[in-house]
Amino acid sequence: MGVVLAYTDAVARATGSLYAKVSRVIPEIEWHVHAPLIAEINRLKRQKHAVILGHNYMTPEIFHCVSDFVGDSLALAREAARTDASVIVQAGVQFMAETSKILSPQKTVLIPDARAGCSLAASITAADVRLMRQKHPGLPVVTYVNTSAEVKAQSDICCTSGNAVAVVEKIAADFGTDAVIMIPDQYLARNVAAKTGIKVITWAGACEVHERFTADEIRGLRAAHPGVAVLAHPECPPEVVAEADFAGSTAAMIGYVGQHHPRRVVLITECSMSDNVAVEYPDVEFVRPCNLCPHMKRITLAGILKSLETMTTEVVVDPVVSARAKIAIDRMLALKS
Ligand code: 13P
Ligand code: SF4
């Protein structure tokens, strides 16, 4: 604490190569504010043997300039389980930080803003899951990682958008059923049902970012931007996914851009994704309809710095809940998808 954060020559030298990378998406005037914070965060990280896990929805200065590892929810969970750092700073939302803590209980896991929630996680409680089980005895419960630790603890297996199809197919086969309970995202569940032919009993939860996209909007984008490749996140309503050329997790969308190099692309997901991917693919034109996640946007460079300086807010998960939730998460991670 107490460090004077100014854009000095030393800061310019320490961050010059980072700015060369992000200069297409961050104006110079903004960089002068970000750079001192970035230099100090990167210094403190080394001093405290900390690692920053950055979700694909982080803003580019967080994603490209201070994160040690970036990815979708699945990749971040895998990294949390294997990192040898003593401290994990989760540049993402609460459920991701909880997942990291469950997978690495001996590590200090920090979230820079404890208010960074998720509309899906807020939509369902552990008691709701118990009631669903009573109503549908014998069916496996597949729980999206975008939930609290308590909800995961009531589940047979977790999934992310990156492995939902594989998880549902595997658990239905293991239980010998042609139906599963899949909570809490009604759209992800319906999209998975359409792909697998497995019946899903779901919950009325939705992502407040992805549920706002409409099929009409996609048709309008195609008309306005001829030849555009439309990539949608499976948290979008099924009629939006039906209009897309490809649906997949945030990492899968990035993979699609890398593999197909579309001349023009639109990512039907949170705003920061296009900025982050555009840095890597200067030859691809990104059409940018924008839906912000207010929870993800609570994570800022200033917040990350404060988190490292003060070692707050530490994520705590009740050990009994954690042990039960870990079984569901480990079962998911055991799948090679
Ligand atoms: P993925 O990065 O796992 O696709 O998840 C998207 C999301 O909305 C996370 O909050
Ligand atoms: Fe939750 Fe949607 Fe925000 Fe992801 S983008 S954290 S699913 S509200």
Side-chain angles (χ1 to χ4, degrees):
M1 292 260 263
V3 183
V4 180
L5 293 175
Y7 188 73
T8 59
D9 288 347
V11 167
R13 276 196 301 280
T15 59
S17 60
L18 293 171
Y19 191 54
K21 189 168 187 198
V22 295
S23 58
R24 289 180 57 254
V25 293
I26 302 182
E28 199 171 348
I29 192 161
E30 275 182 31
W31 183 252
H32 286 209
V33 178
H34 294 322
L37 295 163
I38 289 167
E40 185 57 10
I41 289 169
N42 287 336
R43 187 190 69 78
L44 267 181
K45 253 183 1 190
R46 287 189 291 274
Q47 190 189 84
K48 301 205 171 186
H49 197 221
V51 72
I52 297 182
L53 303 186
H55 186 260
N56 290 329
Y57 294 160
M58 291 296 103
T59 47
E61 66 279 7
I62 296 175
F63 185 89
H64 286 290
C65 303
V66 298
S67 298
D68 299 282
F69 189 88
V70 290
D72 64 357
S73 311
L74 182 60
L76 297 184
R78 288 197 191 284
E79 187 59 22
R82 83 180 142 227
T83 179
D84 61 1
S86 338
V87 178
I88 294 174
V89 180
Q90 196 82 35
V93 293
Q94 188 72 38
F95 75 80
M96 295 176 177
E98 274 190 3
T99 303
S100 293
K101 183 66 185 175
I102 293 164
L103 290 169
S104 287
Q106 73 293 355
K107 292 187 181 10
T108 301
V109 177
L110 305 174
I111 182 149
D113 190 325
R115 298 167 302 172
C118 169
S119 63
L120 282 165
S123 73
I124 192 163
T125 66
D128 294 327
V129 186
R130 284 192 292 270
L131 283 173
M132 283 192 92
R133 271 198 196 276
Q134 276 172 22
K135 218 172 144 192
H136 306 282
L139 291 191
V141 175
V142 180
T143 293
Y144 199 26
V145 281
N146 299 37
T147 46
S148 66
E150 287 78 9
V151 166
K152 290 185 178 77
Q154 296 297 323
S155 312
D156 295 298
I157 190 164
C158 286
C159 75
T160 72
S161 58
N163 60 14
V165 166
V167 165
V168 166
E169 282 174 343
K170 175 80 167 72
I171 201 80
D174 286 356
F175 275 64
T177 57
D178 59 3
V180 302
I181 296 169
M182 187 175 192
I183 50 172
D185 187 334
Q186 57 184 307
Y187 298 130
L188 178 70
R190 280 163 53 195
N191 286 324
V192 169
K195 254 192 152 161
T196 58
I198 293 168
K199 188 172 168 227
V200 292
I201 291 147
T202 187
W203 187 252
C207 162
E208 66 187 88
V209 174
H210 293 99
E211 74 173 340
R212 296 209 302 269
F213 291 107
T214 65
D216 257 0
E217 197 179 346
I218 309 301
R219 288 188 286 269
L221 285 164
R222 282 199 195 279
H225 306 278
V228 71
V230 179
L231 318 187
H233 195 279
E235 288 171 8
C236 293
E239 58 277 16
V240 172
V241 168
E243 290 289 334
D245 297 303
F246 173 81
S249 79
T250 54
M253 287 189 232
I254 297 170
Y256 183 102
V257 175
Q259 203 185 337
H260 297 271
H261 270 273
R263 189 172 56 81
R264 240 178 201 180
V265 69
V266 58
L267 307 180
I268 304 300
T269 189
E270 210 270 346
C271 303
S272 292
M273 269 279 290
S274 293
D275 288 341
N276 292 334
V277 190
V279 166
E280 311 285 356
Y281 299 99
D283 50 330
V284 176
E285 180 197 339
F286 287 81
V287 176
R288 301 177 196 218
C290 207
N291 280 351
L292 271 179
C293 173
H295 311 289
M296 291 281 181
K297 262 53 230 186
R298 285 193 182 278
I299 309 302
T300 61
L301 283 178
I304 292 172
L305 178 56
K306 184 158 178 236
S307 178
L308 276 167
E309 285 173 338
T310 59
M311 298 299 278
T312 56
T313 297
E314 191 169 345
V315 177
V316 181
V317 182
D318 175 272
V320 176
V321 171
S322 179
R324 288 183 62 180
K326 190 169 185 302
I327 297 170
I329 300 170
D330 281 344
R331 199 169 190 176
M332 164 185 87
L333 293 178
L335 254 73
K336 286 290 157 256
S337 59

